[in-house]
């Protein structure tokens, strides 16, 4: 039931783009994206609800394809500050609320 | 408060002892979450509170773990008879409502010797 993230790691040069994928074998109600820098608490990026929506702020956006049970996080014109581990958390919906997280994608942006 | 606070920030205990971790959410936030992160690992969801109630406790790793929230504010996570595998960073987060932006506290680093 743990979502699968890909790639496991990616190295970019400043200004390059990246896509991180999150796939589940179960029907999803929502997908949550977080970024965590080493030694720090995770920072919430966005939630996407089923309905195929796309969200974004600054140069980070995400899409959610409920038919494919997949979400993708898009980072464009990457900045050094984007470095960190990105986690997706998935939730099936219903009256109970339980997030299951992927193992994370380590993103390194070099000058 | 200005942000989510957790106490203690660090806790070293001996195997078999009980520990209590505290989380003070942002004032007015109805939803509160507990997570665990072992060294080099991802986030493990433990439990979620909406107000004082926790609809689903199945995320708690074992019956040695319990959590409560009183007055719709402070929450405590209690681990009884701690084991070495309980060593991790325990993170608390709160949000104004469920499915809204979650704000994380700094975490409690627990080391069980």
């Amino acid at each position: 039931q743990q979502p699968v993230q890909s790639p496991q790691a990616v190295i970019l040069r400043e200004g390059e783009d990246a896509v991180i994928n999150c796939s589940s074998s179960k029907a999803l109600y929502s997908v949550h994206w977080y970024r965590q820098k080493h030694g720090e608490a995770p920072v919430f990026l966005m939630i996407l609800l089923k309905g195929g929506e796309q969200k974004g702020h600054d140069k980070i956006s995400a899409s959610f394809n409920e038919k494919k049970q997949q979400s993708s996080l898009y980072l464009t014109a990457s900045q050094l500050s984007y470095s960190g581990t990105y986690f997706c958390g998935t939730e099936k919906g219903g009256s109970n609320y339980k997030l299951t997280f992927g193992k994370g994608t380590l993103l390194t942006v070099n000058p | 408060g200005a942000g989510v606070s957790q106490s203690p920030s660090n806790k070293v205990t001996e195997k078999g002892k009980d520990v209590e971790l505290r989380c003070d959410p942002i004032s007015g936030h109805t939803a509160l979450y507990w997570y665990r992160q072992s060294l080099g690992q991802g986030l493990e969801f433990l439990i979620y509170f909406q107000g004082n109630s926790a609809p689903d406790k199945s995320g708690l790793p074992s019956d040695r773990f319990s959590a409560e929230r009183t007055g719709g504010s402070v929450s405590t996570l209690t681990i009884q008879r701690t084991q070495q595998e309980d060593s991790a960073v325990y993170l608390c987060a709160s949000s104004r409502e469920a499915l809204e932006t979650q704000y994380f506290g700094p975490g409690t680093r627990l080391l069980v010797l």
Side-chain angles (χ1 to χ4, degrees):
Chain A
Q1 293 185 352
Q2 181 180 39
V4 177
Q5 287 187 234
S6 62
Q8 290 184 322
V10 58
I11 300 174
L12 302 174
R13 287 201 179 275
E14 203 171 2
E16 292 181 336
D17 302 341
V19 179
I20 301 172
N21 297 306
C22 174
S23 299
S24 173
S25 60
K26 304 286 185 181
L28 300 177
Y29 178 76
S30 66
V31 179
H32 306 229
W33 285 98
Y34 296 81
R35 176 174 61 208
Q36 186 176 31
K37 294 183 181 289
H38 183 69
E40 299 180 9
V43 172
F44 178 83
L45 295 176
M46 62 189 80
I47 289 177
L48 299 104
L49 304 179
K50 73 174 185 178
E53 66 172 356
Q54 185 153 354
K55 275 191 174 181
H57 56 85
D58 198 9
K59 295 174 182 168
I60 300 176
S61 62
S63 63
F64 178 23
N65 186 323
E66 64 180 279
K67 289 184 179 179
K68 292 184 177 180
Q69 291 147 204
Q70 178 177 312
S71 177
S72 296
L73 186 71
Y74 307 94
L75 301 105
T76 58
S78 59
Q79 305 169 14
L80 297 177
S81 61
Y82 288 2
S83 293
T85 300
Y86 289 77
F87 293 99
C88 70
T90 57
E91 190 241 336
K92 294 186 296 182
S95 59
N96 294 331
Y97 178 86
K98 182 177 179 179
L99 275 182
T100 305
F101 287 92
K103 292 186 176 181
T105 296
L106 177 61
L107 178 75
T108 304
V109 181
N110 292 320
Chain B
V4 179
S5 60
Q6 292 185 245
S7 60
S9 54
N10 291 280
K11 177 71 176 180
V12 180
T13 190
E14 294 179 348
K15 178 181 172 182
K17 294 286 180 70
D18 297 350
V19 295
E20 187 173 279
L21 312 180
R22 176 186 168 108
C23 173
D24 274 283
I26 292 173
S27 178
H29 281 196
T30 63
L32 184 147
Y33 316 81
W34 283 99
Y35 301 89
R36 178 169 75 172
Q37 190 170 34
S38 302
L39 187 63
Q41 300 298 310
L43 292 164
E44 179 185 2
F45 176 83
L46 298 180
I47 195 167
Y48 150 71
F49 286 92
Q50 180 59 47
N52 290 336
S53 64
D56 181 0
K57 299 181 180 180
S58 63
L60 295 174
S62 75
D63 58 8
R64 296 185 294 104
F65 287 71
S66 63
E68 65 175 15
R69 188 181 186 195
T70 54
S73 181
V74 172
S75 176
T76 55
L77 177 70
T78 302
I79 309 173
Q80 295 179 311
R81 304 180 303 282
T82 53
Q83 304 291 314
Q84 289 181 332
E85 61 262 28
D86 298 335
S87 297
V89 176
Y90 289 81
L91 293 160
C92 174
S94 72
S95 63
R96 196 165 57 97
E97 297 285 348
L99 299 182
E100 292 190 6
T101 302
Q102 295 185 27
Y103 297 88
F104 279 83
T108 293
R109 285 159 181 76
L110 175 66
L111 177 61
V112 182
L113 301 177

